[in-house]
């Protein structure tokens, strides 16, 4: 169980076992002593109250032992923290952007994904930013967690030492779509990773079939469905060309869902909010390109 302290995730586990172990031991000890003294000094056994003087050796023992235990917790925690704060120089940087309610991972060559793809056995440094509120990047399998804070950059690193797919999610309640901020870490062989990493967008202008990829990548489908199911936002199914009730400046009115309306809904979502929904969608200005917006609109058009 107590493997080398150079292995960071083993260190996290060891610190956790150590603190939990000490806590359980203390709980049992204190509970036992409490029951023991209740019985031993009950009024039945001791009808006359007695003044018990202090006991210096006992006081020294119960001061020194817990102090050592607490300092040991600090020491082992500190070792793990130091490793965590010092990414290896050759770590691969990946920029992580958190926003309501999706994750986006951008690599040095501009490659971008909604899932974190990493090669086996190469340390990864995650540079974390938030576009709106505080989120928290949590990858339990690698024992790492760090807040994404608007206006600043935070970081984390880990060494993916086993291929496979692992959960990645937001562990800071960030609004109604918080549960949608779940993604994956895909640890791939070096070959598979290179293949994916070098794959550039074939077409400069996104096509309709790319719209699904764009929507997934940008988290649109965390709130909007395509099968008519209503979630956080209205479903895209069959809305094109329809008349809908919207609220603009607290006033209800009707609009027709056309190209212009859909584009405005992406860039200024607060302008006309569909009746019955909260105005919580973040603007996609600067996130989606004009071509991407067009591809999404064309996709929605076809969703009869
Ligand atoms: Cu979040």
């Amino acid at each position: 169980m107590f493997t080398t302290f150079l292995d960071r995730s083993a260190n996290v586990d060891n610190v956790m076992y150590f603190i939990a172990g000490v806590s359980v031991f203390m709980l049992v000890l204190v509970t036992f002593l409490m029951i023991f003294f209740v019985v031993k000094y009950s009024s039945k056994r001791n009808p006359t109250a007695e003044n018990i003087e202090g006991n210096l050796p006992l006081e020294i023992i119960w001061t020194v032992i817990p102090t050592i235990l607490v300092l040991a917790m600090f020491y082992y925690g500190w070792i793990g923290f130091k490793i965590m704060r010092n990414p290896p120089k050759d770590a691969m940087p990946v920029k992580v952007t958190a926003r309501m309610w999706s994750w986006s991972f951008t690599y040095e060559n501009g490659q971008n994904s909604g899932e974190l793809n990493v090669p086996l056995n190469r340390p990864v440094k995650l540079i974390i930013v938030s576009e709106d509120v505080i989120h928290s990047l949590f990858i339990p399998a690698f024992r790492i967690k760090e807040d994404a804070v608007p206006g600043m950059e935070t970081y984390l690193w880990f060494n993916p030492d086993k291929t496979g797919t692992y959960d990645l999610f937001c562990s800071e309640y960030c609004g109604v779509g918080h549960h949608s901020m779940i993604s994956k870490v895909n640890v791939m062989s070096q070959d598979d990773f290179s293949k994916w990493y070098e794959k550039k967008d074939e077409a400069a202008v996104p096509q309709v079939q790319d719209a699904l990829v764009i929507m997934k990548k940008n988290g649109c489908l965390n709130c909007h469905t395509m099968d008519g199911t209503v979630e956080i936002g209205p479903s895209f199914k069959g809305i094109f060309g329809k008349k809908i009730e919207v609220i603009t400046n607290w006033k209800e009115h009707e609009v027709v869902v056309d190209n212009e309306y859909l584009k405005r809904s992406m860039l200024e979502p607060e302008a006309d909010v569909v009746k019955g929904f909260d105005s919580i969608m973040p603007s996609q200005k600067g996130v989606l390109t004009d071509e991407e917006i067009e591809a999404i609109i064309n996709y929605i058009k076809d969703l009869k």
Side-chain angles (χ1 to χ4, degrees), residues 99 101 103 134-136 170-174 178 181:
R99 50 200 192 93
W101 290 282
W103 297 102
I134 298 177
H135 302 273
S136 187
C170 177
S171 58
E172 180 80 56
Y173 183 67
C174 54
H178 168 64
M181 289 188 75

Side-chain angles (χ1 to χ4, degrees), residues 115-297:
E115 293 190 351
L116 178 59
N117 294 331
V118 292
L120 182 67
N121 287 330
R122 163 121 195 243
V124 179
K125 182 180 178 185
L126 304 169
I127 300 146
I128 309 161
V129 294
S130 167
E131 281 183 2
D132 35 51
V133 298
I134 298 177
H135 302 273
S136 187
L137 179 73
F138 186 26
I139 313 175
F142 295 103
R143 310 289 193 267
I144 49 170
K145 179 156 84 168
E146 182 67 59
D147 279 5
V149 185
M152 69 183 278
E153 251 182 39
T154 53
Y155 67 92
L156 268 184
W157 80 274
F158 69 103
N159 187 29
D161 53 4
K162 214 174 160 195
T163 49
T165 299
Y166 307 94
D167 288 331
L168 172 158
F169 52 90
C170 177
S171 58
E172 180 80 56
Y173 183 67
C174 54
V176 68
H178 168 64
H179 66 279
S180 302
M181 289 188 75
I182 182 156
S183 183
K184 295 266 177 255
V185 181
N186 302 311
V187 182
M188 311 165 153
S189 68
Q190 184 63 55
D191 280 357
D192 287 350
F193 178 77
S194 301
K195 258 182 236 155
W196 173 81
Y197 188 69
E198 298 306 334
K199 208 178 116 203
K200 292 272 186 317
D201 295 336
E202 282 87 15
V205 179
Q207 305 299 308
V208 175
Q209 61 268 29
D210 297 328
L212 201 57
V213 179
I214 299 164
M215 287 194 283
K216 272 188 189 154
K217 200 168 79 183
N218 291 289
C220 310
L221 305 182
N222 292 342
C223 301
H224 302 280
T225 69
M226 291 180 293
D227 60 1
T229 320
V230 173
E231 286 199 352
I232 296 160
S235 174
F236 291 150
K237 192 185 175 188
I239 54 166
F240 198 85
K242 247 194 186 167
K243 266 194 192 147
I244 53 163
E245 293 272 312
V246 296
I247 316 264
T248 307
N249 294 329
W250 293 282
K251 274 198 203 99
E252 264 182 59
H253 66 113
E254 266 189 351
V255 292
V256 176
V257 180
D258 53 9
N259 286 31
E260 200 199 325
Y261 171 77
L262 287 175
K263 187 169 181 178
R264 191 166 65 242
S265 298
M266 288 182 239
L267 300 179
E268 301 163 52
E270 69 293 339
D272 305 303
V273 180
V274 180
K275 198 180 158 189
F277 293 92
D278 292 326
S279 177
I280 48 174
M281 175 168 154
S283 168
Q284 305 300 305
K285 219 176 249 170
V287 178
L288 296 173
T289 63
D290 283 350
E291 288 81 14
E292 287 176 328
I293 291 173
E294 208 186 308
I296 293 174
I297 292 174

